[in-house]
Amino acid sequence: MALAFAHSQGQALQLQAALYVVATPIGNLADITLRALQVLEAVDELLAEDTRCTRRLLEHFGLARTVTSCHEHNEEARVGQVLTWLRHGKSVGLVSDAGTPLISDPGYPLVRAVREAGFPVAAVPGPSATIAALSIAGMPCNEFLFAGFLPARAAARRARLKTLLAEPRLLVLYEAGRRVPELLADITARAGATRQVVLLRELTKMHEEVAAATAGALLARAESGELELRGEFVVLVAAAAEAGDLAEALRIRDLLQEEMSPSRAAKLAARITGVDRRSLYGGATGGK
Ligand code: SAM
């Protein structure tokens, strides 16, 4: 069944009995798409992560309509209701507070259930903080690893980071500003102070800011209060290709240590490989 919508001669958009997953702005409201507006107006039922937040968005665009909550605590329970709506021929929209639903946002159980029940699920694509960040960071991003939010508890977060930082792919993380210093400290401890990091703050908003430097330099700026930490962040961590170099440097250092002092071995291994000498001292074993 084709999902193309009919929008002809001033008539309201005719939508099918399908779930429409609609992306909304991540800051700048002008980033809403024309199709998103059409669908938000035309769907018979609209599910939103936070109904107040979505009502504000709708009001901004002069859309008055009913909105039903669908968040991480009730989305499993909503499935039955949505399937009933679809069986009655109704179209259903799904939005989150900002950006693309399901991307570190609720919606996965619903989308899966609707698909499994044989109803179409249509994407109404638009903003996502990940893609916005990658598009302006100036990092190679043909391949990347999206990991979203790390666990809040320190031990679990460090364990997850240990695995992620060993990956030979650009890493994409979401984080609240107040927790960025702790994250930078963990990255520095795990991957060394020289791993490249890009912090992208308040994308598309008035105070959008990009800071690119080594993890160690950014940590020093965060600790000195020089780095603005208010707002929402995407954190990009360079691929562990450098960690591959580091692994080789550590192997050379360990061989040299059989013949000389640890500090001299570290110095020489750094000169041979070009890896920062500080990464080769003591227990800094590049994420091992
Ligand atoms: N679904 C959204 C998307 O498509 O990007 C992400 C939702 S997630 C609950 C919210 C997180 O995304 C924030 O904590 C922040 O890490 C990131 N984020 C959202 N908007 C952002 C913005 N304007 N600038 C930077 N990061 C943002």
Side-chain angles (χ1 to χ4, degrees):
M1 191 161 37
L3 281 164
F5 53 75
H7 191 217
S8 59
Q9 294 162 0
Q11 286 176 345
L13 190 62
Q14 296 297 310
L15 296 175
Q16 303 177 32
L19 176 66
Y20 293 81
V21 180
V22 184
T24 57
I26 57 169
N28 190 327
L29 295 185
D31 289 335
I32 194 125
T33 70
L34 290 176
R35 186 164 168 241
L37 286 176
Q38 290 172 332
V39 171
L40 290 177
E41 182 176 30
V43 278
D44 297 309
E45 304 288 347
L46 180 61
L47 297 170
E49 185 183 5
D50 179 337
T51 53
R52 278 172 309 172
C53 171
T54 297
R55 274 199 200 98
R56 276 198 299 274
L57 178 77
L58 295 171
E59 273 164 24
H60 178 85
F61 291 105
L63 302 176
R65 59 153 311 130
T66 56
V67 184
T68 305
S69 75
C70 180
H71 44 70
E72 58 176 330
H73 304 296
N74 73 355
E75 61 181 329
E76 299 274 0
R78 279 278 178 257
V79 168
Q81 185 169 20
V82 170
L83 293 180
T84 304
W85 285 335
L86 292 169
R87 287 187 188 111
H88 284 92
K90 287 184 164 186
S91 56
V92 183
L94 172 71
V95 295
S96 60
D97 290 354
T100 302
L102 277 82
I103 309 301
S104 289
D105 267 341
Y108 162 65
L110 181 64
V111 167
R112 187 189 52 190
V114 169
R115 258 198 196 297
E116 283 176 2
F119 291 98
V121 181
V124 183
S128 180
T130 292
I131 303 303
L134 290 171
S135 71
I136 61 167
M139 305 277 266
C141 55
N142 279 345
E143 231 188 316
F144 62 89
L145 175 60
F146 174 73
F149 293 103
L150 295 175
R153 290 183 49 213
R157 188 179 64 244
R158 285 176 193 146
R160 181 94 181 101
L161 257 184
K162 183 178 173 183
T163 310
L164 293 172
L165 290 171
E167 285 280 337
R169 270 180 285 276
L170 176 64
L171 178 61
V172 183
L173 299 171
Y174 283 166
E175 194 51 280
R178 68 192 142 75
R179 292 155 64 110
V180 164
E182 225 176 325
L183 177 61
L184 290 170
D186 286 344
I187 294 169
T188 303
R190 280 275 154 220
T194 55
R195 185 73 76 95
Q196 284 295 316
V197 172
V198 184
L199 301 177
L200 300 108
R201 185 176 85 86
E202 296 286 89
L203 288 162
T204 77
K205 302 184 197 176
M206 186 138 40
H207 299 293
E208 175 174 306
E209 202 172 9
V210 181
T214 62
L218 288 170
L219 177 59
R221 285 171 60 187
E223 285 176 343
S224 72
E226 195 192 315
L227 210 60
E228 177 57 72
L229 293 172
R230 275 176 294 188
E232 299 187 288
F233 279 73
V234 178
V235 180
L236 303 184
V237 187
E242 291 156 31
D245 299 343
L246 183 58
E248 177 63 2
L250 289 167
R251 193 183 69 80
I252 292 170
R253 179 200 68 177
D254 292 346
L255 284 173
L256 291 170
Q257 266 184 22
E258 291 171 15
E259 305 294 331
M260 59 187 76
S261 72
S263 72
R264 194 161 155 60
K267 201 170 164 183
L268 212 52
R271 278 181 59 196
I272 292 166
T273 60
V275 164
D276 190 296
R277 196 170 47 172
R278 285 167 299 179
S279 314
L280 301 176
Y281 281 129
T285 51
K288 282 185 182 166

